[in-house]
Each structure stands twice: as C-alpha cells, then as structure tokens.
Amino acid sequence: MFTKHNIFLAIATSVCSTIAWASPIFTVTPMSSSFSVTKGTTAEMQYDIRNVSGRSLTITNESVSQSSNVTSDAIAADSDCENSTLANNADCTLDIDVTGNSVGSDTVSPVVCAFNGQLCSTVAVGTSTTVVPQNTFNCATNSTTKECRVFTSEGTYKGDLSEGSGAVNTATCQSDASGVTKGNCICEKEAAAQGYGHPGHWRVWLSTETSGAISNIRYTSGGSLKYVRAGDTNTEVAAQGDLIGVNLTNSIKANGVGDFCVYTATQGSTGVIPGGGEKDCNGWTSTAAELGSVANGNAEGTNSIAVIGGWSRASNDECPGPLLCNKNLYLYCFEIPQ
Amino acid sequence: MTIKSRYLSAVALICVFSCAAVCASTWRLGLLGDGGALLISKKRQPLTLAPGLVNEYASKNTENFVLGGGFDVAYDLPINSVWHTLFGIRGEYFRAPDQNNRGVVHPLINQGGNFDRLDYHYKMANYLLLGNVRWLWALRNSVLHPYVNMGVGVAWDHLFDYTEVTPDGSTAAPMRTPFRGRTRSQLAYGFGIGVERLKKNVGMQIGYEFLALGRGQLGTTSVQSTNEVLKTKPIYMHLFELAFDIVI
C-alpha cells in the first residue's frame, strides 16, 4: 500500500541513485578569501592544491587567468607544487606572484594541470583581488604639506557604533572599546579591509560633548595637512589647511554612489555641537530613539562645517530627520599624521 | 553479338541521331546556392590521450542550419525531344554557424570517478566535388520541367577551432593545447529532385537535395602521446537548392 511517505521515499531513493555528483580532480583552494596588492608592487598569493583523483598525479603545468588590473602569470620559484608528484589526497602549496597594474579589482583563477597540460583543474570561484592605489600620500612624512586620506566607511553603524549593514568585522572593537575610541577602531578595520594601509593612523570624525572631532583627527586649521579621497588620491577633498571654515574642494564620497548620511555631531568653527548627550548619542554609547535629533553629515556635500547643509552637518532635506541613534549611518575616517 | 542486341543497338543509334537532328547537345554553366539542415548524430567516444589518461567525449546531436554555394558545369545530352541527360561536375562549399558542434568532456574516465566535466565545441566547413547526373523531363506545353539527379564524389570535411569551456560550477579547466584542426577527404554522395524553368538561354532550378559527406575528424594535440582523434558520426544534409544555368 502506497502512503505519501512511501511515495516520497521512493522518489528520493530514485533521484539519489540516478544523480552522481561530480568531483574535482585537483581541489584548488585559496588560503585567503580576498587579496589586495598595491599598484606597481608584487605580492604573493597562496593556494592549497590537493590531488583527489584517486590516483597519483604529477603537476606539469601551472598558470593563472589573465586580467587587466593585475598580472598574475608568474608562478613564484618557491612554489612547492612545481613538478610535484602528488599521491592521492596529498597536497602542495602553490605560490603566485600578483602584480598590481591599475587600481580596481579582478578575479584571479589559477589552473593546475597534469599529463602535460591535458588534464587541468581550477577554482570553482576565482579569488577576488583588489589593486589599491600606490602609496603616494605623505601623511606620515615631515614635509611641509602632508597629504592625508579620508574615506566614508563601507558599512553602516548605529549610535553606539555597533555594526549595521555591510559593516566590516569589528568584533574586537565592539568588545574592547566604546565611544569615539570604538569609532577609531572601526576606522582602522575599515581602512585595512579596503587596503589603505598605514595601520594605527586612522581616526573617526565624531565629536562628543567634551571632545571635538577636529582634535581626534589631529587637525590644525591653517596647518600643513591637506586631504584627498583614499580611493582616488588624485581627487583633493580639502586644500592645505582648509578642512575647517571653508568649503571642501570635492566631497569626501563621489556623488551618486550609494547612501551618504554620516554620524558626525560636529558643526561650527569649534566642531563640537552644543547640547552634549542629546546630540552625540550619549558619547556614542546609545541606540535610543528618544534622544532627539542627532547631528549628521552629508558625504556628498562640500559646504563648510560652519553651516547647516554641509559635509559635517546636513540639512533635513539632505538627510531627513529626525535621525535618531537607532539609525544605521556611515562614518568618516581620516588618516592622521605621525 | 546476338540478333536481339544488334537490333537494340540500331534502335538506340536511330534514336540518338534522330534526336541530334532536332535536339542539339549543349553545355550549361551555373551557380547554385542552398540552405537547410545539417545533421550529425550524437556519439560517445573514449580517447586515450596518454598512458593512464582516458577522457570520454560525448557529442550532442548536431541539428543546425547550414548554407552552401558553388558552381556546376554540365553537358546536356538530349535522349529525345522530351528526356535530357545532363552529365556534370559540381563544386560546393558549406558552412554551418560557428560552434554548432558541441559536446561534453568527461575527464579521466579510466579512473572510474565522476569528475567535473567540460563543455566543448568546434567549427566545421565542408568542400564538395561531385560527378553529377541529372535526368530532366522536358514536358511539352509546361513551363516547369521536373528532374532527378544523383552524384558521387569527394567531400573534404574540415573540422577546426576546437575549444573547451568550463561550465558553471565545474572545477575542470580546458586542456592547454587543444586538438588541432584537420581536413579529411571522404566519399560523398547525394541525390535530389526538383523542377526547372528554362527560358531562352537561362535555366533556373528549385529542388530538394540530400547529401552524405562522410565522417569528419579533428587532429591530435601537439602534446598527445597517442594517435587517437575525435571523430564524428556521418554528416548528412537536407537542402533546399536554388540554381541558375546559362545554356551555351
């Protein structure tokens, strides 16, 4: 007698017995899920190559798919896969020298072959590789003009700087810090994730009742610092000494690319918005919705921070209020001098 | 020679000479074009590329549109005022859309596993030279004259541009040195039926034609240590033909 259960079992058994899942001959597994290289430099990418063919195979050829932004055809001499004979289930490490040609991202897919190139395997999904701008900034030097970088975070964060959507993994920041210190930690993580380098020198643009964002990023009006976009160092954001008091040369974020509302709590010549806890989510520790209007900036704006309707204090038209501490907004991250 | 055969020979001679008086032999020069279906049946073929490496190549049915064009030269020998026999030579070139010959590579089948597969495709062009015979029935009081033709000759089947592609989700990568192209001469034959319209010195034929062009094969790779090659099943074409002749 056929019950629904029996019919289901019969169908499942039939399907399972007729589907034979295919398997690789070599598994090609990246040792890191993403990779970045600075333009004009070469870095080493590593893959684990495992022979799962059921028999011994000798690796006779290795190559890498070509792409425009990176050159990755050079197999490093120290690769222990070169001409290796791998027993079944044995593995080796494939080293690939990747050279960044132009800023952008590409997918790198190595190919490993046996039998003189007649039997080849590759990765099911290529490794995302980012070529980051060449390190032409000199924020860390003692020159008269120090060119520092600034960017808008990739992810969004709430009023207590807990992770919102698209945030980088900030687990250590969340557990070890609070307030502006947590924001600085988040900027460090964001800068690292985007391949901007210069670890230990990224700070968030957030003010509190007692401390201004200006001092957090070590800025002095009329001083030696100028700012450029971190993702496009040819685009100046603020001329030397002109971050405060005058309009920006260009907005911090390119126009038309995603959302643009940023937590700042920073306005006026001093940078600190009067009102304290009402405006800075209790020192960036609260996600409460009832704290009132929180100051926020427009990352696509260029108007001076001295006015409402600018890059550090958006108008209600730009970022419709009230923007409360439970909203997911972006953060500004500034590179600081040594 | 028996009396009967002598009698038949005499009748034949009388027919030929009596017709020759009223139906003069002529030459015809023509251009022809045709289009239709290219058919090659699917095939599974294991190939040993090196000791210990056997891949299976499973071709899919090829059912594609093919276009052809060429020339024909024929000698029109009337049997009588109604029946004509045209002896001729016909040359033609056929080309199907690119990548119309497809299949799947199952690598390392000698190992017994079910490994990630590859898709493959290659291009094909065919050159044809046929000795052709056409029997034409020149009906009186009719503008269209039906005909039947047959031909036997040589086809040069050129297979080339073998390419392997990794399908989505597969980790198999294409062989680094693909199979080379090869042109293979094969016995070819064909037959067809149609109608002709002859006006003054220009003839136009419309008809159907069946062609068998033998089997094609690709070459070996430069790194292959065996001589085994990928072969097709017989190549057939069903064509709609349009031809124009000038009678000289």
Side-chain angles (χ1 to χ4, degrees), chain A residues 211-222:
Chain A
S211 175
I214 293 172
S215 60
N216 189 49
I217 68 163
R218 297 184 185 172
Y219 180 79
T220 305
S221 289

Side-chain angles (χ1 to χ4, degrees), chain B residues 32-35 66-71 90-98 123-130 154-158 160 183 211 213 237 239:
Chain B
L32 58 94
D34 35 32
V66 66
L67 283 173
F71 69 93
R90 163 184 169 184
E92 210 169 344
Y93 170 76
F94 292 99
R95 185 72 195 271
D98 289 345
K123 299 174 185 174
M124 185 172 74
N126 309 89
Y127 304 85
L128 179 68
L129 188 63
L130 287 185
V154 183
W156 288 272
D157 299 318
H158 179 47
F160 61 104
T183 303
L211 289 175
L213 304 179
M237 292 180 187
L239 302 168

Side-chain angles (χ1 to χ4, degrees), chain A residues 120-133:
Chain A
C120 302
S121 290
T122 185
V123 285
V125 178
T127 306
S128 174
T129 303
T130 304
V131 180
V132 298

Side-chain angles (χ1 to χ4, degrees), chain A residues 20-25 52-55 61-63 111 113 115-122 124, chain B residues 49-53 55 107-108 110-111 114-116 170-177 221 223-224:
Chain A
W21 300 106
S23 60
I25 289 170
V52 289
S53 68
R55 55 163 290 171
N61 309 80
E62 303 144 330
S63 63
V111 177
C113 300
F115 292 104
N116 216 3
Q118 296 177 104
L119 186 70
C120 302
S121 290
T122 185
Chain B
L49 301 177
L53 174 59
N55 292 345
L108 208 61
N110 51 311
Q111 197 54 36
N114 177 26
F115 295 112
D116 284 343
S170 174
T171 62
M175 66 199 315
R176 292 168 63 91
T177 312
T221 72
V223 295
Q224 192 175 326

Side-chain angles (χ1 to χ4, degrees), chain B residues 64-230:
Chain B
N64 256 309
F65 186 68
V66 66
L67 283 173
F71 69 93
D72 69 67
V73 178
Y75 181 66
D76 184 350
L77 182 65
I79 298 171
N80 53 42
S81 60
V82 176
W83 285 99
H84 293 237
T85 306
L86 290 84
F87 299 96
I89 294 175
R90 163 184 169 184
E92 210 169 344
Y93 170 76
F94 292 99
R95 185 72 195 271
D98 289 345
Q99 303 175 7
N100 62 323
N101 303 287
R102 297 172 179 278
V104 175
V105 185
H106 299 279
L108 208 61
I109 59 163
N110 51 311
Q111 197 54 36
N114 177 26
F115 295 112
D116 284 343
R117 63 189 176 87
L118 290 159
D119 293 338
Y120 73 84
H121 57 79
Y122 58 87
K123 299 174 185 174
M124 185 172 74
N126 309 89
Y127 304 85
L128 179 68
L129 188 63
L130 287 185
N132 219 41
V133 183
R134 175 178 297 174
W135 291 278
L136 181 73
W137 190 18
L139 291 168
R140 286 179 184 171
N141 303 322
S142 173
V143 293
L144 296 176
H145 309 305
Y147 68 81
V148 175
N149 70 288
M150 293 179 56
V152 178
V154 183
W156 288 272
D157 299 318
H158 179 47
L159 276 53
F160 61 104
D161 278 3
Y162 175 88
T163 306
E164 291 180 346
V165 179
T166 301
D168 288 344
S170 174
T171 62
M175 66 199 315
R176 292 168 63 91
T177 312
F179 296 118
R180 290 176 282 213
R182 177 176 287 184
T183 303
R184 189 186 197 200
S185 59
Q186 291 278 280
L187 175 70
Y189 61 90
F191 52 82
I193 56 171
V195 291
E196 179 186 77
R197 171 87 191 268
L198 187 62
K199 192 170 185 181
K200 294 186 177 176
N201 288 332
V202 178
M204 183 180 80
Q205 295 98 40
I206 296 175
Y208 158 81
E209 179 135 53
F210 168 79
L211 289 175
L213 304 179
R215 298 166 191 256
Q217 68 180 44
L218 285 156
T220 56
T221 72
S222 59
V223 295
Q224 192 175 326
S225 57
T226 67
N227 291 322
E228 296 189 16
V229 294
L230 202 55

Side-chain angles (χ1 to χ4, degrees), chain A residues 28-35 43-49 76 78-80 92-98 108 110 123 127:
Chain A
V28 182
T29 310
M31 292 190 168
S32 60
S33 58
S34 63
F35 186 80
E44 191 173 86
M45 182 185 278
Q46 290 191 316
Y47 285 83
D48 177 69
I49 310 298
D78 59 347
S79 169
D80 74 356
C92 61
T93 301
L94 176 66
D95 302 324
I96 299 171
D97 286 341
V98 176
V108 171
V123 285
T127 306

Side-chain angles (χ1 to χ4, degrees), chain A residues 14 19 28 33 46 64 72 80 86-87 97 130 142 150 211 213 224 226 240 249-250 260 268 271 295 311 315 329:
Chain A
S14 171
I19 295 175
V28 182
S33 58
Q46 290 191 316
V64 185
S72 47
D80 74 356
L86 297 179
D97 286 341
T130 304
N142 292 318
V150 57
S211 175
S224 61
K226 66 174 284 189
Q240 182 180 349
T249 316
N250 289 287
F260 48 79
W311 66 272
S315 68
L329 299 185

